[in-house]
Amino acid sequence: MPDLALYIHWPFCKSKCPYCDFNSHVRGAIDEARWKRALLTELDQVAAETAGRRLTSIFFGGGTPSLMAPETVAGLIERAGRHWRFADGIEVTLEANPNSVEAARFAALGQAGVNRLSLGVQALDDRALRFLGRAHDAAEALAAIALARRHFRRFSFDLIYARPEQTLEAWGDELDRALPLAGDHLSLYQLTIEPGTAFATAAARGDFALPDDEQQGALYEMTERRLATAGLAPYEISNYARPGSESRHNLAYWRYDDYAGIGPGAHGRLTLDGAKIATRRKRAPETWLAAVEAVGDGSEERVPLSPQERAREMLMMGLRLAPGIDRARFASETGMALEAALDGAQLPHLIEGGFIVLNAAGLQATPAGRQRLNAVLAQLLA
Ligand SMILES: C[S@@+](CC[C@H](N)C(=O)[O-])C[C@H]1O[C@@H](n2cnc3c(N)ncnc32)[C@H](O)[C@@H]1O
Ligand code: SF4
């Protein structure tokens, strides 16, 4: 039976950031006892169909799971421990915002069983944080990083770069300040304008513009170089780690391993009776909650994936990773050889252009390919 990773979604935030299209919502009051009961109910449901497996990671994502009561987090981890066998050194990550009220809970979250914190720092200067609509300032971010270091064996923080008018020099300076603060892992995302967000409206109005493709490429290349020099290898498009400190949980997604998702909008991929099943929970928090209370789970969709769909998903996820996709693993997951899943007409041009490497080991996107992965995938999967 394949190992399992578990994702738990907490859909609430103090305020909505203008760039964010995650399933995150601002609510006046949350009946946390009810939410805990419902998450435990869905945990029991998914455990019933994956009994006997080994659990390698738990990830509390959001939204802002650092707003959860530590007892809720502890209760979920404890229940998971009753259902599944924990792998040695199981990774238990929680996403946190650097606001001081939340940082005050880090010790309790550590005691609850969280052993890795992922902190949404986003920027290290106040002007940029204001532009990003964040509820914290740079001083709070630094304080939260110090606390994370004290209370968690492993921690990572997120920064958003390629912001409007950001020069190579300015981003270089910010990286110089960030690197000495880093633990074993950093997530560095290029700002994207997501449809339906406040930033989409503002950008359409002409309030600001993202750096052009050339500038984005230059920023990305500089980021990879600086991080590699600092000993944090670029192991995924936006993720950098010291060797062995990659996020085990996120690797499960990118390697197309099994994961279960509970909570509003959570996705899962589960191998059950030889089929790979895609699961999706109801997205709206209140709709999800009502469904769990009425029928025992908030499932919106459960569909078996065809070999073609599995191949497509595996390519989309696996090419994000620096080591790419293992040939044997691809064949066992999809029943297809790599070449059979790729558009043969486009392959030579992508290989000669230096965007992908196809060999006995498998398929890999080069750094240049990873930088424009959407375009590469569009051709590979044509
Ligand atoms: C689920 S969110 C973060 C968790 C936490 N609520 C926070 O804001 O710190 C995960 C990360 O995705 C990144 N992110 C979200 N929307 C983005 C966008 N439009 N462009 C770039 N990065 C984005 C941010 O760095 C964010 O920390
Ligand atoms: S970036 Fe984080 S805090 Fe901001 S709305 Fe999205 S999930 Fe919430």
Side-chain angles (χ1 to χ4, degrees):
M1 277 186 292
D3 284 346
L4 189 68
L6 172 66
Y7 176 80
I8 301 174
H9 190 77
W10 186 257
F12 303 117
C13 294
K14 273 264 155 60
S15 54
K16 182 81 186 178
C17 305
Y19 54 83
C20 178
D21 78 337
F22 283 80
N23 189 19
S24 58
H25 308 266
V26 179
R27 295 285 185 266
I30 296 150
D31 183 344
E32 183 140 352
R34 239 179 115 187
W35 273 85
K36 180 180 177 185
R37 260 196 317 276
L39 285 169
L40 287 169
T41 302
E42 239 183 21
L43 187 69
D44 293 344
Q45 178 255 325
V46 82
E49 57 187 5
T50 55
R53 297 207 198 184
R54 189 172 74 141
L55 196 67
T56 50
S57 62
I58 303 175
F59 193 103
F60 292 89
T64 307
S66 51
L67 292 171
M68 294 169 89
E71 305 80 74
T72 304
V73 174
L76 286 158
I77 296 172
E78 190 261 334
R79 182 72 64 91
R82 277 198 251 160
H83 285 312
W84 295 285
R85 190 162 42 92
F86 279 3
D88 287 344
I90 183 173
E91 178 187 277
V92 184
T93 306
L94 181 134
E95 284 182 341
N97 281 29
N99 305 48
S100 45
V101 269
E102 287 154 60
R105 295 184 181 177
F106 288 0
L109 289 166
Q111 276 153 18
V114 175
N115 58 25
R116 182 174 181 273
L117 200 77
S118 174
L119 200 53
V121 168
Q122 320 306 3
L124 287 172
D125 78 83
D126 287 341
R127 212 168 69 96
L129 287 168
R130 271 196 302 279
F131 167 72
L132 291 170
R134 296 293 290 181
H136 67 269
D137 61 21
E140 277 179 298
L142 296 178
I145 291 171
L147 273 182
R149 185 184 290 286
R150 178 162 352 135
H151 293 296
F152 300 95
R153 204 161 40 78
R154 301 174 60 197
F155 78 97
S156 177
F157 60 86
D158 299 354
L159 295 174
I160 297 180
Y161 71 105
R163 304 188 296 254
E165 289 166 31
Q166 194 173 33
T167 61
L168 281 171
E169 197 189 0
W171 175 231
D173 288 347
E174 200 165 344
L175 278 180
D176 283 343
R177 281 187 289 140
L179 283 167
L181 303 170
D184 61 356
H185 191 285
L186 283 178
S187 299
L188 306 174
Y189 300 104
Q190 299 197 43
L191 179 60
T192 54
I193 303 298
E194 304 293 346
T197 59
F199 265 12
T201 313
R205 208 164 43 210
D207 291 359
F208 64 79
L210 292 184
D212 62 21
D213 285 354
E214 196 184 327
Q215 174 74 356
Q216 289 190 18
L219 286 162
Y220 184 80
E221 279 163 27
M222 185 183 82
T223 307
E224 286 218 336
R225 270 198 315 276
R226 290 268 179 118
L227 274 280
T229 308
L232 288 138
Y235 73 99
E236 191 269 347
I237 294 181
S238 309
N239 286 280
Y240 303 81
R242 302 198 192 284
S245 294
E246 297 83 5
S247 158
R248 265 219 231 180
H249 185 82
N250 288 331
L251 279 178
Y253 300 150
W254 297 318
R255 289 181 178 154
Y256 211 48
D257 294 335
D258 272 23
Y259 56 94
I262 66 167
H267 289 252
R269 291 289 180 278
L270 295 173
T271 308
L272 297 172
D273 303 322
K276 190 103 167 183
I277 312 286
T279 69
R280 188 162 53 86
R281 310 286 181 181
K282 293 183 190 305
R283 188 170 161 94
E286 291 72 21
T287 313
W288 174 87
L289 186 62
V292 177
E293 290 180 341
V295 299
D297 75 84
S299 287
E300 172 77 16
E301 190 177 72
R302 278 176 79 87
V303 284
L305 297 171
S306 69
Q308 287 73 18
E309 287 166 327
R310 294 200 298 263
R312 193 183 168 80
E313 290 195 333
M314 209 172 168
L315 287 163
M316 290 174 62
M317 299 308 275
L319 288 179
R320 302 181 64 92
L321 285 173
I325 296 161
D326 180 76
R327 184 176 281 282
R329 169 94 177 82
F330 187 86
S332 70
E333 184 67 46
T334 66
M336 270 186 258
L338 263 171
E339 283 78 2
L342 303 171
D343 184 342
Q346 302 297 334
L347 265 181
H349 142 78
L350 287 169
I351 293 171
E352 281 153 31
F355 299 111
I356 59 168
V357 175
L358 180 64
N359 57 24
L363 179 70
Q364 228 184 356
T366 63
R370 286 205 300 280
Q371 204 186 109
R372 34 183 92 64
L373 188 59
N374 287 342
V376 170
L377 282 168
Q379 296 199 34
L380 273 180
L381 299 170

